[in-house]
Amino acid sequence: MFARVMAEHLFCKRSHVTMASDDVAQLADVLSKIHVGDGELGFRGSGLKLDDAESVEELIREMEQYPGLRALRLEGNTLGVDAARAIAKALENQDRLQRCYWSDMFTGRLRSEIPTALRSLGSALMSAGARLTDLDLSDNAFGPDGVKGIEQLLKSPSCHALQQLRLNNCGMGVDGGKILAEALIEGHRQASACGAPLKLRVFIAGRNRLENEGASALAKAFQLMGSLEEVHMPQNGITHAGVAALAAALQHNPELRVLNFNDNTFTKRGTLAMARALRHLRNVQVINFGDCLVRSEGAVALAAVLREGLPVLKELNLSFGEITEAAALVVAQAAADKPDMETVDLNGNSLGEEGCEALREAMESMNKGSMLASLSDDEGEPEDEGEDATDDDASDGGSEDDEEDGGVVKENGRTRKDDSPAKPPSPAEVTTFLSCPSAERLLQLGEMRTSLQQQVDAADPHRAADVLLKIASLYSEDPETKAAVFETVDGVLEKLLSGSAYESYRFLSSLLVMMGLLKGEGKMKKVTLVPGQLLCLEHAIQQEYFLQQHAALLHTFVSKNSGALESCSSASERLSSTLEKKCHDQH
């Protein structure tokens, strides 16, 4: 019946007695969009302007004749307040309704009308006792007031079994994000009190200007639910603080499969927070961190996670992230080892023409050429600015080391080191040595040289790299000094490289930054290298504790940035040769 009335509606719009061919085509198009069956009723994408009760009479009649209605599609039309109220009255009898597809439903309406219409529809669902599993309100520019329009619905028993919530491109803003988060938290509380907690599986809220405050509020809801499988939050103006809050929450969602944060601003701090979270997630299949300013240090950290986790990952998007050639190669090498990997997108980064070719050749050599996405939009090699990149969000007053590199985690307002035991007090001799290192003082330490191992911790990679380079700078051909330096370097490196791939890669990244081989973020300064430091590394690479993956990482950056070691050309050649041998022998 509804299809018949829709045909009449179109026909009456024409003044001709005989329908022209375009009338037939338009009618056929609308009829094809009407779906009645499988518990679903709707007229998706018909572009109808439904202003009042009269305009929806036939739809309501269809609803009344369909007591087993499971899904109602209203998307792609425009609904006025009076029409919404009329539909709402009919919904009061639809207690079996589960899926509401109501995206793009208010085009041309005043923003002030939308909350009223949404409240009418939501109240009807609650009165009917419906139990929704899917709610899609995407592409409705209703702002925070629109979120208030669905607030009570989200808290009610009608959403206690909600599995998919789609609010893409709704202009919620920070306030809307906070209201939404509180509604989900309260809904979860009420559902839990009834013995069946809210277990949302899919959350989509891209293009909503949530920013850090909105994202952080939602993170609390995500952690509480712990049931998410897909999270899509692209283009929300979220920077590292919001990203870190989301990352901490998402690691409590073990079934997470799809993670899409495209076009937010991670920088290093946000990327490292996400990398730490991903270490806990074993079911992730799709990661989209494209256009997130991941940068090279962040990319190396993600490569470490690929090495030790993410066993079923299929897609990795790190496009447009200011990643340089060496870091991209490290990512590609790690991704190539994943058995289910299908696509690695590194387009739009800073590889340069030769870097793009090197990346293609590397993937081809591993028989993974088809895995690599197009590199057609590469930004070219970065200009040497003479200074390390700065974290765009470092202006919040906190030091970078305090917030992430030192492994600091804030809990309930208190600060603690993440899995880091308190350091024992240093002997005065050790403290004196570190403040002013010399070969003489190192030899004088004697057995206390082992105390230097207690001065380094993988949770503080910058300090660890600094201590290592200080010790290595004392290298000389004097047998006693050489033996003492090698022994101390071995002890320090064995401790730093014995942990997880993530911890060892973080330390090696910091070391590479200080050596000028990797462009970093923050305040860490490069050191002036001396040959002894490279010779100590050359010695360490030959030891059992220095694994092939460590050598491969170092080799990639040394080979691609050899100019940074020009002042130590002879030692650099020895280091490169030993790295190449180590990598080759392991293959």
Side-chain angles (χ1 to χ4, degrees), residues 68-84:
L69 186 64
R70 299 294 181 90
L72 179 61
R73 310 199 77 110
L74 298 175
E75 69 265 52
N77 299 285
T78 178
L79 196 64
V81 171
D82 291 338

Side-chain angles (χ1 to χ4, degrees), residues 30-107:
V30 172
L31 290 174
S32 70
K33 293 174 182 175
I34 298 171
H35 184 68
V36 180
D38 299 327
E40 184 174 295
L41 171 65
F43 46 107
R44 175 175 55 189
S46 299
L48 301 173
K49 189 177 183 189
L50 307 173
D51 293 323
D52 49 32
E54 183 180 359
S55 64
V56 293
E57 280 182 355
E58 291 304 321
L59 170 61
I60 291 170
R61 191 171 293 120
E62 289 283 352
M63 291 171 61
E64 290 172 345
Q65 294 176 5
Y66 205 153
L69 186 64
R70 299 294 181 90
L72 179 61
R73 310 199 77 110
L74 298 175
E75 69 265 52
N77 299 285
T78 178
L79 196 64
V81 171
D82 291 338
R85 286 174 176 154
I87 293 173
K89 188 169 181 59
L91 281 175
E92 291 177 357
N93 299 315
Q94 298 293 343
D95 62 335
R96 299 180 67 183
L97 188 67
Q98 296 179 328
R99 302 184 302 279
C100 296
Y101 302 113
W102 296 347
S103 63
D104 190 19
M105 196 171 67
F106 297 109
T107 300

